[in-house]
Amino acid sequence: MINKELVAASSRPLILSLLSKKESYGYEIIKNIQEISDNKIVWKEGMLYPILKKLCENGYIECEWKEIDGRKRKYYKITKDGLKLLESEKEQWNVVNKTFNNVWSDILCLV
Amino acid sequence: MSSLEKKLSNFKKELSSRNILTEDDLSELESHIIDKVDDLKQTGLNENDAFDEAINDLGSINEIAAEYSKVNFSPKMKFTLLCFGYFAINFMMSIIYLITIHFSYCIKNIPTIYDYKHIPVFTPILELLSQYNHSNYANLFIFIINTTLMLLLLYFAAKNNNNILSVLANKLLSIQSSKVFIKLIAFLLIVLTPILLEILTSFMFGQISINMAFTATQHNFNCLLMNITLIFLLISRYMKSKTPESSSSYMILGYLITAIAASLIPALVTNISIAIGQFNVACISILCIILFVITCSLIKIVSKKGLLERKPSIIYASLLVVCFICSVCISPFASSDYTTINDVMLKYSYMTYAVHFCINLLAALSLFSDYKFFFGRKRSIE
């Protein structure tokens, strides 16, 4: 079980990362996250759509209703601003990750 | 209707009764549920169980409404944006108009103020500028500069992201919960500044002494052009998603409705009172009061019955159509001969100021009293 705050904090960079690879719709994004995280990261599905909406309003992603195979879905695509935000989030997560690695590797050395 | 469709429609009805999700949001959740049910059916579940599991995984109605309330506007926020849109856009347009009149006044006066004919260097410049002393060129200047500046204003007002008006609107919302002193200052600013600007503008207008009728007609045409541009902008956004979902759309709509009402009321009142042969202060005042009461009652009925929430796209589309028709029909004096009805023009302009003042006052009172008149005390929790 992943901490609620961690799940919330990681949701935005995860969504942007997925959308930077290809255009997608809400349900597909949820399925991908579950696959990639080995079902360890479980989102309350109703939580995803407001996040997508907020990202859309701020111009980080674009949305469009598309009809494919007779099914109408809202597709999301990342924008240039979104890519910039993703880069900055990646940097921040890398900093945190590096710090943890340093701290934990020291502890291991001590042992 | 299959049982899945029935269950879906019940679910959507329950969600939409919270008045938070838009039609677009509901369609998206519906498409999600259908996709999930299809996937679960492939793992062997029957339709009913699959639907129940899908709804469960989505979260409770309360949780969904809570999440969406962070990104969507409550009815009160919508009203605030409507009011604020009118104040802010009208204020900026008044400032622009004042600047262009002042500019044309300067242009007109340069050859006479700076009488440097004895210095050879200035002569060609003065000769070039002296043609702008002609009233038609000055009028053309007013029109071009005014239109350009207003289109720029439109561009900045209509941008969806990092919109300066949205920033100001958020500040205004935070004022609603601050001290009485600050609220009072903001209230006075909102109510008094527009009327002071109008008086200053007409004073400057008088200083120019160009063909007033022609310039007034151009100003009317300018306003018509702005209104039509804004309406088409909102229509194109409507085609994309059926209801206004951004704060800038609400603010523009608020400006359009109120500005048109502010022009329509004096025009209607003047026409009616001239038609019945009673163009005097008493008759005009009575007609204005009647029209105001009708308008306030309509707003109260619409907000009380929750029509804005239940059938938002129909209301929105009708509003745009009405705005379009009114914009085209307004300004009965656009083609009139001003020289023979000076008395009417004077009373008409005073009445227009009075109407604008009353509208500002009403909207500011609503804003700072938290819309108790329209929403009642029960809904103040939202």
Side-chain angles (χ1 to χ4, degrees):
Chain A
M1 253 334 272
I2 308 279
N3 187 304
K4 243 199 279 187
E5 275 104 13
L6 262 183
V7 171
S10 62
S11 57
R12 200 165 71 167
L14 276 173
I15 293 172
L16 288 173
S17 307
L18 281 175
L19 288 175
S20 69
K21 303 222 162 79
K22 74 171 180 110
E23 189 179 59
S24 187
Y25 56 95
Y27 185 58
E28 196 177 56
I29 294 174
I30 295 173
K31 274 209 298 192
N32 286 337
I33 295 292
Q34 280 181 353
E35 269 177 44
I36 295 171
S37 71
D38 254 338
N39 284 324
K40 298 232 172 75
I41 299 183
V42 177
W43 284 348
K44 208 69 186 176
E45 289 163 13
M47 182 188 108
L48 167 75
Y49 293 100
I51 298 178
L52 285 170
K53 197 166 181 184
K54 195 76 201 258
L55 284 169
C56 207
E57 254 174 49
N58 291 331
Y60 299 124
I61 59 180
E62 276 168 355
C63 60
E64 201 188 335
W65 280 96
K66 282 191 189 166
E67 186 154 353
I68 294 178
D69 293 331
R71 285 295 319 279
K72 246 187 150 181
R73 295 189 184 98
K74 201 170 183 184
Y75 280 81
Y76 294 91
K77 191 166 74 168
I78 198 165
T79 61
K80 278 194 198 136
D81 283 340
L83 285 166
K84 277 191 207 153
L85 179 68
L86 178 60
E87 284 313 308
S88 114
E89 300 248 338
K90 263 192 196 171
E91 261 181 58
Q92 292 176 44
W93 280 93
N94 280 332
V95 163
V96 173
N97 186 34
K98 230 179 162 180
T99 314
F100 275 136
N101 285 336
N102 289 339
V103 159
W104 288 328
S105 66
D106 277 346
I107 292 173
L108 281 173
C109 275
L110 283 170
V111 169
Chain B
M1 234 202 284
S2 79
S3 103
L4 175 67
E5 280 169 6
K6 251 195 227 166
K7 282 186 163 186
L8 254 176
S9 112
N10 284 339
F11 178 69
K12 273 168 71 176
K13 251 192 216 159
E14 227 195 303
L15 258 180
S16 73
S17 72
R18 295 306 174 92
N19 296 327
I20 291 290
L21 276 81
T22 64
E23 287 169 42
D24 198 69
D25 296 331
L26 289 168
S27 308
E28 200 177 10
L29 287 178
E30 182 182 23
S31 131
H32 168 98
I33 293 171
I34 294 175
D35 276 334
K36 182 116 194 214
V37 165
D38 283 340
D39 265 3
L40 288 172
K41 281 199 320 198
Q42 290 192 358
T43 65
L45 255 71
N46 69 46
E47 200 172 70
N48 285 327
D49 290 341
F51 181 81
D52 291 336
E53 191 171 321
I55 296 286
N56 219 15
D57 286 341
L58 208 55
S60 75
I61 303 271
N62 286 334
E63 283 171 342
I64 299 174
E67 288 297 319
Y68 270 101
S69 66
K70 293 178 196 164
V71 292
N72 282 352
F73 301 123
S74 65
K76 252 200 217 155
M77 273 204 68
K78 286 179 193 172
F79 244 106
T80 305
L81 288 168
L82 287 172
C83 288
F84 178 72
Y86 169 66
F87 292 138
I89 298 178
N90 198 36
F91 179 76
M92 287 182 194
M93 282 175 111
S94 308
I95 296 266
I96 289 172
Y97 193 51
L98 192 64
I99 291 171
T100 51
I101 287 179
H102 185 72
F103 182 71
S104 65
Y105 173 65
C106 291
I107 293 278
K108 175 191 179 281
N109 281 309
I110 285 172
T112 52
I113 291 173
Y114 306 112
D115 196 11
Y116 294 119
K117 282 190 189 135
H118 58 283
I119 301 172
V121 168
F122 285 109
T123 321
I125 302 169
L126 283 175
E127 274 174 19
L128 186 72
L129 282 174
S130 67
Q131 63 181 310
Y132 297 127
N133 206 8
H134 194 280
S135 63
N136 282 337
Y137 280 104
N139 280 332
L140 191 63
F141 257 138
I142 296 178
F143 184 65
I144 292 171
I145 295 164
N146 207 7
T147 315
T148 316
L149 286 173
M150 288 208 189
L151 285 171
L152 277 172
L153 163 70
L154 269 180
Y155 172 70
F156 285 112
K159 266 170 69 169
N160 260 328
N161 310 316
N162 303 319
N163 186 330
I164 187 164
L165 289 181
S166 310
V167 171
L168 287 171
N170 283 329
K171 287 228 181 319
L172 189 75
L173 280 167
S174 62
I175 281 181
Q176 281 183 340
S177 53
S178 48
K179 296 180 192 167
V180 182
F181 174 64
I182 298 173
K183 268 187 179 179
L184 190 64
I185 292 184
F187 176 79
L188 286 171
L189 269 172
I190 287 173
V191 172
L192 293 178
T193 323
I195 193 83
L196 289 171
L197 268 177
E198 278 188 359
I199 293 170
L200 187 62
T201 308
S202 66
F203 171 73
M204 289 234 73
F205 213 53
Q207 300 291 301
I208 301 173
S209 314
I210 325 171
N211 187 345
M212 260 190 77
F214 185 50
T215 315
T217 313
Q218 279 187 334
H219 183 54
N220 284 338
F221 179 74
N222 218 293
C223 288
L224 177 65
L225 184 70
M226 291 304 122
N227 287 356
I228 303 280
T229 315
L230 285 170
I231 290 168
F232 278 124
L233 174 76
L234 290 181
I235 288 175
S236 71
R237 285 189 187 173
Y238 173 79
M239 304 301 266
K240 239 183 143 186
S241 74
K242 295 293 172 192
T243 43
E245 292 202 31
S246 68
S247 55
S248 67
S249 295
Y250 275 109
M251 288 193 276
I252 291 171
L253 189 68
Y255 166 74
L256 274 174
I257 297 169
T258 326
I260 287 170
S263 306
L264 198 61
I265 290 174
L268 272 175
V269 164
T270 312
N271 276 343
I272 293 171
S273 50
I274 290 178
I276 63 175
Q278 293 288 331
F279 190 67
N280 51 52
V281 176
C283 178
I284 288 169
S285 313
I286 293 170
L287 283 172
C288 275
I289 291 169
I290 293 173
L291 279 170
F292 263 121
V293 167
I294 293 174
T295 318
C296 289
S297 317
L298 277 172
I299 299 173
K300 182 142 185 172
I301 291 170
V302 167
S303 56
K304 270 255 155 130
K305 296 234 173 200
L307 282 172
L308 253 174
E309 287 93 47
R310 255 183 261 145
K311 304 248 181 253
S313 49
I314 296 174
I315 302 267
Y316 184 52
S318 326
L319 274 172
L320 289 180
V321 168
V322 167
C323 285
F324 181 77
I325 294 172
C326 289
S327 299
V328 174
C329 300
I330 266 168
S331 263
F333 294 103
S335 55
S336 297
D337 179 11
Y338 292 103
T339 51
T340 55
I341 48 170
N342 277 329
D343 184 46
V344 175
M345 272 304 288
L346 200 65
K347 285 186 184 152
Y348 176 76
S349 54
Y350 287 149
M351 182 184 22
T352 313
Y353 298 159
V355 166
H356 289 178
F357 179 75
C358 289
I359 288 179
N360 284 358
L361 188 64
L362 206 68
L365 279 172
S366 296
L367 206 60
F368 289 97
S369 71
D370 234 7
Y371 305 108
K372 292 200 172 79
F373 174 71
F374 296 118
F375 288 109
R377 285 168 214 281
K378 288 181 198 161
R379 304 252 292 229
S380 57
I381 310 164
E382 278 169 303

